């Protein structure tokens, strides 16, 4: 990541928050959800780790849900994500 990218991810209402999406979302595709999170300054994680702030769970969530529960990561449903994105102008 170059300095300009770091500056872009360091700003926005979700800056400093790391998200991971698992399972099937109904309201949008996962790539679109991740793009909206990134536009607001959030970081997308590739797996469950201690630095993960939010796990968003869709239908048929797999092993990431169990790992996040064990690690004590806050777990949210798709509606929570939609509400968060609406709050910051990323959803109609």
């Amino acid at each position: 990541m170059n300095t300009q990218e770091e500056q872009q991810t360091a700003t926005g209402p979700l800056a400093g928050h790391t998200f991971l999406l698992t399972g099937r979302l109904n309201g949008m595709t996962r790539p679109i959800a991740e793009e909206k999170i990134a536009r607001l300054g959030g970081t997308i994680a590739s797996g469950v780790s201690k630095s993960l702030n939010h796990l968003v769970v869709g239908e048929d969530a797999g092993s990431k849900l169990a790992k996040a529960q064990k690690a004590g990561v806050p777990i949210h449903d798709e509606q929570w994500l939609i509400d968060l994105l609406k709050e910051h102008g990323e959803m109609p």
Side-chain angles (χ1 to χ4, degrees):
M1 184 182 306
N2 67 34
T3 305
Q4 185 178 2
E5 287 174 329
E6 287 175 25
Q7 287 174 348
Q8 287 175 345
T9 58
T11 61
L14 302 183
H17 291 263
T18 304
F19 294 78
L20 179 62
L21 286 71
T22 187
R24 186 175 58 255
L25 302 179
N26 293 315
M28 68 192 102
T29 65
R30 193 180 306 175
I32 289 174
E34 291 175 349
E35 179 184 320
K36 291 176 181 294
I37 290 167
R39 272 203 298 255
L40 293 171
T43 302
I44 305 300
S46 58
V48 176
S49 70
K50 290 180 182 179
S51 64
L52 184 63
N53 300 114
H54 306 281
L55 178 70
V56 179
V57 179
E59 292 181 24
D60 301 323
S63 62
K64 291 176 185 170
L65 175 58
K67 288 179 185 175
Q69 288 170 327
K70 272 188 160 181
V73 172
I75 298 168
H76 311 284
D77 63 11
E78 181 179 3
Q79 188 59 52
W80 176 87
L81 177 61
I82 290 169
D83 292 344
L84 180 69
L85 295 174
K86 279 182 181 176
E87 179 183 331
H88 297 294
E90 280 295 326
M91 292 291 287

